Amino acid sequence: ADCAALRAEVAAGDIGAEELLAMPPERLMGPERRAALEADRRESLRAVVVGSGFGLFNEAMECPKCGERGANYAVPTFTGHWSMKHETGKAVLAQCRACLFQWQQQEGY
């Protein structure tokens, strides 16, 4: 929903103060600002990963591009830095050893 629709829902009483405060910041942004934020996040992720490399390996991960099994990967932390330790329940950024394709994947491969 855009900001005008959200304002209308709040004004009509369809959304209460608690619900409004619990919304993620992206929900309160217009489409252009959300797109810019997503582009910034992608660029930041790329810059961090390019600088740090992939310190972990999992032979069960399969490359979605070439189908090769085995990939290096890194696990993001909430601080914006990349951790080289395994943390359950998070997305990982993986890189195929064969074709070097990179992708994001939920853990549980």
Side-chain angles (χ1 to χ4, degrees), residues 57-94:
F57 177 76
N58 184 295
E59 62 187 38
M61 293 177 92
E62 184 175 321
C63 177
K65 183 176 179 184
C66 73
E68 186 73 23
R69 283 200 151 320
N72 295 319
Y73 70 100
V75 182
T77 64
F78 289 112
T79 62
H81 300 286
W82 284 84
S83 169
M84 290 301 128
K85 67 180 183 177
H86 195 278
E87 297 180 26
T88 308
K90 294 186 179 182
V92 297
L93 188 66

